[in-house]
Amino acid sequence: MNEKQMLSISFIFSLIGILVVLLVSFVSSPKLYSISDLDKNDIDQVVRVRGNIESFHETPGLYLINLADDSGKITVVVFKNDEMDLTEGMFVEVIGSVVEYGDQIEITAKEIVL
Amino acid sequence: MFYEILIVTLLGIFAGIFTGLIPGIHINLVAIMVLSSSMFLLNYFSPLSLALFIVAMSITHTFLDSIPSIFLGAPDSGLELSVLPGHKLLLEGRGYEAVFLTVIGSFFAVVSALFFTPVLIPLIKYGYPLIEDYIPHILIVFSVILVWREKKSRIKALMMYLLSGLLGLAVLTFYGSDVFTLEQPLFPMLSGLFGTSILIVSLMEKTKIPEQKITYPKLKIEEVLSYLGLGFVASLLTGTLPGLGASQAAIMSSSVKKKNKPENFLILLGSINTVVMVVSFISLYSIDKARNGSVLVISKILGEFNLSHLFLFLFVSLFVAGIASFLALKISKTFSKVMSKVNYAKICLSVISLIVIMAFIISGPFGLFVLIVSTFLGITASFMGIGKNHLMGCLLFPIILFFLL
């Protein structure tokens, strides 16, 4: 096998591979949890939860959302990049990392679907 | 207290030897293990001692991680580009000299960081807010310079930059699912692009490693000082801003120079690799921001980080730098002797196997797939004959997008 053939093969395989990684990254979504199922064993894991906004507070740098589903409640921390149009009672899906704050666990949001 | 500090520092140096020499074992991994077992460890050690253990380990690591990069072609995260000039010197029988150059960079980086600390504290404190908003623009400019300076083909260079950028984007934004998980995504990606691909090309080209000689570089003092200075400035960016590693800083700073000899580039990379760690301590004090995993763990263990902590960290860093320099040179001498006696093809195959196993253990089956894809992309760049530094698009491109979007 000469260099030109090797180049063609490696190029084609890398292109296909990148497309597959992109596709998998695009379609895969973290596991959906009930809020009560989350505990300290999940710290640093990226998880997905759904629920209603019970209340929220806005500070200059972040939003603190109290999210509730049928099983329980959790605080979701959202670092401000853009203004968000939040209202109490709104149903949202949150993807984020489980973190420990004080003695409680919280979710630091990576993505919020309103 | 003095003896406790001495003991934890020596233990940290020992851990740094372990993380520095074994590809894939990162300091963050050990730091997180320390954090997660801190409830138990705090029965025997003070929080400060645990933090100093991490400091000693981190500094030692930055002195030793060039050894597997240069001799085995298995880079650590942040030192990807050392493989390229390091491998060149290895093929000239000057592997020891390559390590020597990174050690020069690392050691003088610590000394100069210590010397300039009184200036760096206010500089980072007041300079950081000014530059924070412009980091994507700075990265775009350096990316353009990087591609523009490719002599062989700018189109191919741009293509490799973008393809690696897309791969980086997919890997770094991968949240995972029930079926696919990807822990420590940088390990398989960077190992493929800059490690296994080089080893496979070496195997295909039946590369023979010549007998390694213990040679010392002939350096011009003004050249060394200019590269140390460049490294220092670049490290200020990487030590204060999130997402930038030693390799990106090396690309940015070396793009200022028209021509970079491998010897100078290795000094530059060595200095950045170490000074980034020291600047991270200063950043933690000045702007209360942890810019890498091990400093984050330190901040969590200590809670409050004051000026006394900073000075203790800096002096421990200097002490560790002296010991780590000695260790790095001793160990690389042993590597030089062994390299001449062992079949290089067998070394390549062993290191490839090690990386494959580590990728599977650390990142899972999907990590193995990322390793294979990255390896193909790395091989493509090699056969296109363009610089592998364009593959740093895997980090630069996503970082630019993260800042802009």
mmCIF file of all heavy atoms in Angstrom, chain B residues 161-191:
data_model
loop_
_atom_site.group_PDB
_atom_site.id
_atom_site.type_symbol
_atom_site.label_atom_id
_atom_site.label_comp_id
_atom_site.label_asym_id
_atom_site.label_seq_id
_atom_site.Cartn_x
_atom_site.Cartn_y
_atom_site.Cartn_z
ATOM 1 N N TYR B 161 -7.569 21.749 10.352
ATOM 2 C CA TYR B 161 -7.967 22.561 11.511
ATOM 3 C C TYR B 161 -9.473 22.396 11.750
ATOM 4 O O TYR B 161 -9.914 22.155 12.887
ATOM 5 C CB TYR B 161 -7.608 24.026 11.261
ATOM 6 C CG TYR B 161 -8.027 24.968 12.372
ATOM 7 C CD1 TYR B 161 -7.178 25.233 13.444
ATOM 8 C CD2 TYR B 161 -9.284 25.577 12.357
ATOM 9 C CE1 TYR B 161 -7.570 26.083 14.470
ATOM 10 C CE2 TYR B 161 -9.679 26.427 13.380
ATOM 11 C CZ TYR B 161 -8.826 26.675 14.434
ATOM 12 O OH TYR B 161 -9.219 27.509 15.455
ATOM 13 N N LEU B 162 -10.255 22.508 10.665
ATOM 14 C CA LEU B 162 -11.716 22.450 10.816
ATOM 15 C C LEU B 162 -12.199 21.046 11.154
ATOM 16 O O LEU B 162 -13.100 20.874 11.989
ATOM 17 C CB LEU B 162 -12.396 22.958 9.536
ATOM 18 C CG LEU B 162 -12.237 24.457 9.283
ATOM 19 C CD1 LEU B 162 -12.825 24.853 7.931
ATOM 20 C CD2 LEU B 162 -12.887 25.285 10.396
ATOM 21 N N LEU B 163 -11.597 20.032 10.501
ATOM 22 C CA LEU B 163 -12.025 18.657 10.800
ATOM 23 C C LEU B 163 -11.723 18.301 12.262
ATOM 24 O O LEU B 163 -12.572 17.736 12.956
ATOM 25 C CB LEU B 163 -11.312 17.666 9.874
ATOM 26 C CG LEU B 163 -11.901 17.512 8.470
ATOM 27 C CD1 LEU B 163 -11.049 16.561 7.637
ATOM 28 C CD2 LEU B 163 -13.336 17.003 8.525
ATOM 29 N N SER B 164 -10.514 18.658 12.704
ATOM 30 C CA SER B 164 -10.196 18.364 14.110
ATOM 31 C C SER B 164 -11.092 19.207 15.024
ATOM 32 O O SER B 164 -11.490 18.764 16.106
ATOM 33 C CB SER B 164 -8.718 18.614 14.419
ATOM 34 O OG SER B 164 -8.384 19.956 14.186
ATOM 35 N N GLY B 165 -11.439 20.418 14.557
ATOM 36 C CA GLY B 165 -12.334 21.286 15.324
ATOM 37 C C GLY B 165 -13.710 20.664 15.485
ATOM 38 O O GLY B 165 -14.297 20.698 16.579
ATOM 39 N N LEU B 166 -14.218 20.068 14.395
ATOM 40 C CA LEU B 166 -15.535 19.414 14.470
ATOM 41 C C LEU B 166 -15.483 18.218 15.418
ATOM 42 O O LEU B 166 -16.401 17.999 16.213
ATOM 43 C CB LEU B 166 -15.962 18.948 13.071
ATOM 44 C CG LEU B 166 -16.492 20.036 12.130
ATOM 45 C CD1 LEU B 166 -16.795 19.453 10.762
ATOM 46 C CD2 LEU B 166 -17.764 20.670 12.709
ATOM 47 N N LEU B 167 -14.379 17.474 15.317
ATOM 48 C CA LEU B 167 -14.226 16.327 16.219
ATOM 49 C C LEU B 167 -14.203 16.803 17.677
ATOM 50 O O LEU B 167 -14.893 16.250 18.542
ATOM 51 C CB LEU B 167 -12.928 15.571 15.884
ATOM 52 C CG LEU B 167 -12.606 14.371 16.767
ATOM 53 C CD1 LEU B 167 -13.630 13.264 16.587
ATOM 54 C CD2 LEU B 167 -11.208 13.817 16.456
ATOM 55 N N GLY B 168 -13.422 17.860 17.922
ATOM 56 C CA GLY B 168 -13.329 18.414 19.279
ATOM 57 C C GLY B 168 -14.683 18.893 19.774
ATOM 58 O O GLY B 168 -15.054 18.665 20.929
ATOM 59 N N LEU B 169 -15.426 19.536 18.890
ATOM 60 C CA LEU B 169 -16.746 20.060 19.254
ATOM 61 C C LEU B 169 -17.679 18.917 19.667
ATOM 62 O O LEU B 169 -18.373 18.987 20.687
ATOM 63 C CB LEU B 169 -17.328 20.812 18.049
ATOM 64 C CG LEU B 169 -18.553 21.660 18.311
ATOM 65 C CD1 LEU B 169 -18.216 22.812 19.237
ATOM 66 C CD2 LEU B 169 -19.107 22.208 16.994
ATOM 67 N N ALA B 170 -17.664 17.845 18.841
ATOM 68 C CA ALA B 170 -18.539 16.704 19.137
ATOM 69 C C ALA B 170 -18.136 16.047 20.454
ATOM 70 O O ALA B 170 -18.985 15.693 21.266
ATOM 71 C CB ALA B 170 -18.460 15.695 17.997
ATOM 72 N N VAL B 171 -16.846 15.907 20.663
ATOM 73 C CA VAL B 171 -16.354 15.194 21.852
ATOM 74 C C VAL B 171 -16.561 16.024 23.116
ATOM 75 O O VAL B 171 -16.983 15.508 24.151
ATOM 76 C CB VAL B 171 -14.853 14.839 21.643
ATOM 77 C CG1 VAL B 171 -14.195 14.459 22.950
ATOM 78 C CG2 VAL B 171 -14.716 13.707 20.636
ATOM 79 N N LEU B 172 -16.302 17.331 23.016
ATOM 80 C CA LEU B 172 -16.380 18.168 24.220
ATOM 81 C C LEU B 172 -17.818 18.523 24.610
ATOM 82 O O LEU B 172 -18.065 18.930 25.736
ATOM 83 C CB LEU B 172 -15.552 19.435 24.042
ATOM 84 C CG LEU B 172 -14.044 19.200 23.922
ATOM 85 C CD1 LEU B 172 -13.312 20.490 23.595
ATOM 86 C CD2 LEU B 172 -13.468 18.610 25.192
ATOM 87 N N THR B 173 -18.737 18.409 23.659
ATOM 88 C CA THR B 173 -20.139 18.699 24.001
ATOM 89 C C THR B 173 -20.928 17.408 24.212
ATOM 90 O O THR B 173 -22.148 17.419 24.258
ATOM 91 C CB THR B 173 -20.832 19.522 22.898
ATOM 92 O OG1 THR B 173 -20.695 18.806 21.657
ATOM 93 C CG2 THR B 173 -20.236 20.893 22.754
ATOM 94 N N PHE B 174 -20.210 16.306 24.321
ATOM 95 C CA PHE B 174 -20.870 15.007 24.453
ATOM 96 C C PHE B 174 -21.360 14.812 25.884
ATOM 97 O O PHE B 174 -20.560 14.716 26.808
ATOM 98 C CB PHE B 174 -19.866 13.908 24.072
ATOM 99 C CG PHE B 174 -20.482 12.565 23.894
ATOM 100 C CD1 PHE B 174 -21.047 12.213 22.688
ATOM 101 C CD2 PHE B 174 -20.504 11.648 24.932
ATOM 102 C CE1 PHE B 174 -21.624 10.971 22.513
ATOM 103 C CE2 PHE B 174 -21.079 10.406 24.766
ATOM 104 C CZ PHE B 174 -21.631 10.066 23.560
ATOM 105 N N TYR B 175 -22.674 14.798 26.056
ATOM 106 C CA TYR B 175 -23.228 14.640 27.400
ATOM 107 C C TYR B 175 -23.335 13.165 27.805
ATOM 108 O O TYR B 175 -23.427 12.837 28.962
ATOM 109 C CB TYR B 175 -24.630 15.253 27.485
ATOM 110 C CG TYR B 175 -24.656 16.748 27.348
ATOM 111 C CD1 TYR B 175 -25.742 17.385 26.759
ATOM 112 C CD2 TYR B 175 -23.612 17.529 27.814
ATOM 113 C CE1 TYR B 175 -25.781 18.762 26.646
ATOM 114 C CE2 TYR B 175 -23.641 18.903 27.701
ATOM 115 C CZ TYR B 175 -24.725 19.511 27.116
ATOM 116 O OH TYR B 175 -24.759 20.870 27.010
ATOM 117 N N GLY B 176 -23.408 12.298 26.793
ATOM 118 C CA GLY B 176 -23.568 10.877 27.083
ATOM 119 C C GLY B 176 -25.021 10.487 27.207
ATOM 120 O O GLY B 176 -25.907 11.340 27.260
ATOM 121 N N SER B 177 -25.258 9.202 27.205
ATOM 122 C CA SER B 177 -26.629 8.689 27.337
ATOM 123 C C SER B 177 -26.540 7.329 28.016
ATOM 124 O O SER B 177 -25.470 6.921 28.469
ATOM 125 C CB SER B 177 -27.257 8.548 25.953
ATOM 126 O OG SER B 177 -26.562 7.560 25.227
ATOM 127 N N ASP B 178 -27.682 6.614 28.053
ATOM 128 C CA ASP B 178 -27.667 5.282 28.657
ATOM 129 C C ASP B 178 -26.737 4.350 27.883
ATOM 130 O O ASP B 178 -26.071 3.499 28.448
ATOM 131 C CB ASP B 178 -29.088 4.682 28.637
ATOM 132 C CG ASP B 178 -30.011 5.479 29.534
ATOM 133 O OD1 ASP B 178 -29.491 6.340 30.259
ATOM 134 O OD2 ASP B 178 -31.226 5.250 29.475
ATOM 135 N N VAL B 179 -26.720 4.525 26.555
ATOM 136 C CA VAL B 179 -25.947 3.611 25.702
ATOM 137 C C VAL B 179 -24.500 4.068 25.561
ATOM 138 O O VAL B 179 -23.564 3.286 25.700
ATOM 139 C CB VAL B 179 -26.614 3.520 24.301
ATOM 140 C CG1 VAL B 179 -25.894 2.488 23.432
ATOM 141 C CG2 VAL B 179 -28.089 3.187 24.442
ATOM 142 N N PHE B 180 -24.312 5.353 25.267
ATOM 143 C CA PHE B 180 -22.961 5.873 25.025
ATOM 144 C C PHE B 180 -22.500 6.746 26.188
ATOM 145 O O PHE B 180 -23.193 7.688 26.558
ATOM 146 C CB PHE B 180 -22.946 6.732 23.752
ATOM 147 C CG PHE B 180 -23.306 5.964 22.518
ATOM 148 C CD1 PHE B 180 -24.558 6.108 21.939
ATOM 149 C CD2 PHE B 180 -22.399 5.105 21.923
ATOM 150 C CE1 PHE B 180 -24.898 5.404 20.802
ATOM 151 C CE2 PHE B 180 -22.723 4.401 20.791
ATOM 152 C CZ PHE B 180 -23.984 4.542 20.230
ATOM 153 N N THR B 181 -21.356 6.407 26.717
ATOM 154 C CA THR B 181 -20.765 7.284 27.737
ATOM 155 C C THR B 181 -19.344 7.606 27.305
ATOM 156 O O THR B 181 -18.705 6.822 26.602
ATOM 157 C CB THR B 181 -20.723 6.610 29.119
ATOM 158 O OG1 THR B 181 -20.033 5.370 28.977
ATOM 159 C CG2 THR B 181 -22.099 6.385 29.682
ATOM 160 N N LEU B 182 -18.873 8.750 27.714
ATOM 161 C CA LEU B 182 -17.517 9.152 27.333
ATOM 162 C C LEU B 182 -16.909 9.954 28.488
ATOM 163 O O LEU B 182 -17.120 11.154 28.594
ATOM 164 C CB LEU B 182 -17.571 9.997 26.052
ATOM 165 C CG LEU B 182 -16.239 10.437 25.458
ATOM 166 C CD1 LEU B 182 -15.370 9.259 25.104
ATOM 167 C CD2 LEU B 182 -16.462 11.296 24.226
ATOM 168 N N GLU B 183 -16.186 9.240 29.350
ATOM 169 C CA GLU B 183 -15.514 9.912 30.470
ATOM 170 C C GLU B 183 -14.161 10.429 29.986
ATOM 171 O O GLU B 183 -13.555 9.828 29.089
ATOM 172 C CB GLU B 183 -15.286 8.923 31.626
ATOM 173 C CG GLU B 183 -16.554 8.320 32.206
ATOM 174 C CD GLU B 183 -17.394 9.315 32.983
ATOM 175 O OE1 GLU B 183 -16.816 10.237 33.565
ATOM 176 O OE2 GLU B 183 -18.627 9.163 32.988
ATOM 177 N N GLN B 184 -13.672 11.488 30.582
ATOM 178 C CA GLN B 184 -12.355 12.058 30.240
ATOM 179 C C GLN B 184 -12.141 12.108 28.729
ATOM 180 O O GLN B 184 -11.213 11.485 28.197
ATOM 181 C CB GLN B 184 -11.229 11.215 30.876
ATOM 182 C CG GLN B 184 -11.392 10.956 32.335
ATOM 183 C CD GLN B 184 -10.746 12.020 33.211
ATOM 184 O OE1 GLN B 184 -10.061 12.905 32.728
ATOM 185 N NE2 GLN B 184 -10.995 11.952 34.485
ATOM 186 N N PRO B 185 -13.003 12.815 27.996
ATOM 187 C CA PRO B 185 -12.973 12.737 26.527
ATOM 188 C C PRO B 185 -11.674 13.213 25.887
ATOM 189 O O PRO B 185 -11.351 12.805 24.785
ATOM 190 C CB PRO B 185 -14.140 13.634 26.108
ATOM 191 C CG PRO B 185 -14.380 14.542 27.262
ATOM 192 C CD PRO B 185 -14.003 13.770 28.483
ATOM 193 N N LEU B 186 -10.936 14.079 26.599
ATOM 194 C CA LEU B 186 -9.696 14.592 26.003
ATOM 195 C C LEU B 186 -8.659 13.486 25.822
ATOM 196 O O LEU B 186 -7.850 13.542 24.903
ATOM 197 C CB LEU B 186 -9.101 15.710 26.869
ATOM 198 C CG LEU B 186 -9.806 17.054 26.831
ATOM 199 C CD1 LEU B 186 -9.070 18.045 27.725
ATOM 200 C CD2 LEU B 186 -9.877 17.593 25.421
ATOM 201 N N PHE B 187 -8.665 12.511 26.715
ATOM 202 C CA PHE B 187 -7.620 11.487 26.662
ATOM 203 C C PHE B 187 -7.632 10.716 25.335
ATOM 204 O O PHE B 187 -6.606 10.673 24.638
ATOM 205 C CB PHE B 187 -7.710 10.533 27.863
ATOM 206 C CG PHE B 187 -6.701 9.425 27.772
ATOM 207 C CD1 PHE B 187 -5.342 9.698 27.899
ATOM 208 C CD2 PHE B 187 -7.085 8.117 27.522
ATOM 209 C CE1 PHE B 187 -4.398 8.688 27.772
ATOM 210 C CE2 PHE B 187 -6.149 7.111 27.398
ATOM 211 C CZ PHE B 187 -4.806 7.398 27.530
ATOM 212 N N PRO B 188 -8.767 10.109 24.931
ATOM 213 C CA PRO B 188 -8.711 9.375 23.663
ATOM 214 C C PRO B 188 -8.483 10.294 22.456
ATOM 215 O O PRO B 188 -7.775 9.917 21.523
ATOM 216 C CB PRO B 188 -10.082 8.677 23.589
ATOM 217 C CG PRO B 188 -10.963 9.414 24.513
ATOM 218 C CD PRO B 188 -10.088 9.969 25.581
ATOM 219 N N MET B 189 -9.054 11.489 22.505
ATOM 220 C CA MET B 189 -8.925 12.386 21.345
ATOM 221 C C MET B 189 -7.471 12.836 21.155
ATOM 222 O O MET B 189 -6.910 12.699 20.064
ATOM 223 C CB MET B 189 -9.847 13.602 21.515
ATOM 224 C CG MET B 189 -9.791 14.541 20.319
ATOM 225 S SD MET B 189 -11.019 15.840 20.416
ATOM 226 C CE MET B 189 -10.340 16.895 21.682
ATOM 227 N N LEU B 190 -6.862 13.336 22.215
ATOM 228 C CA LEU B 190 -5.490 13.845 22.088
ATOM 229 C C LEU B 190 -4.493 12.703 21.891
ATOM 230 O O LEU B 190 -3.518 12.855 21.143
ATOM 231 C CB LEU B 190 -5.118 14.677 23.321
ATOM 232 C CG LEU B 190 -5.955 15.938 23.525
ATOM 233 C CD1 LEU B 190 -5.538 16.671 24.794
ATOM 234 C CD2 LEU B 190 -5.853 16.883 22.341
ATOM 235 N N SER B 191 -4.756 11.567 22.520
ATOM 236 C CA SER B 191 -3.846 10.420 22.332
ATOM 237 C C SER B 191 -3.888 9.947 20.880
ATOM 238 O O SER B 191 -2.862 9.556 20.329
ATOM 239 C CB SER B 191 -4.243 9.254 23.243
ATOM 240 O OG SER B 191 -4.129 9.644 24.568
#
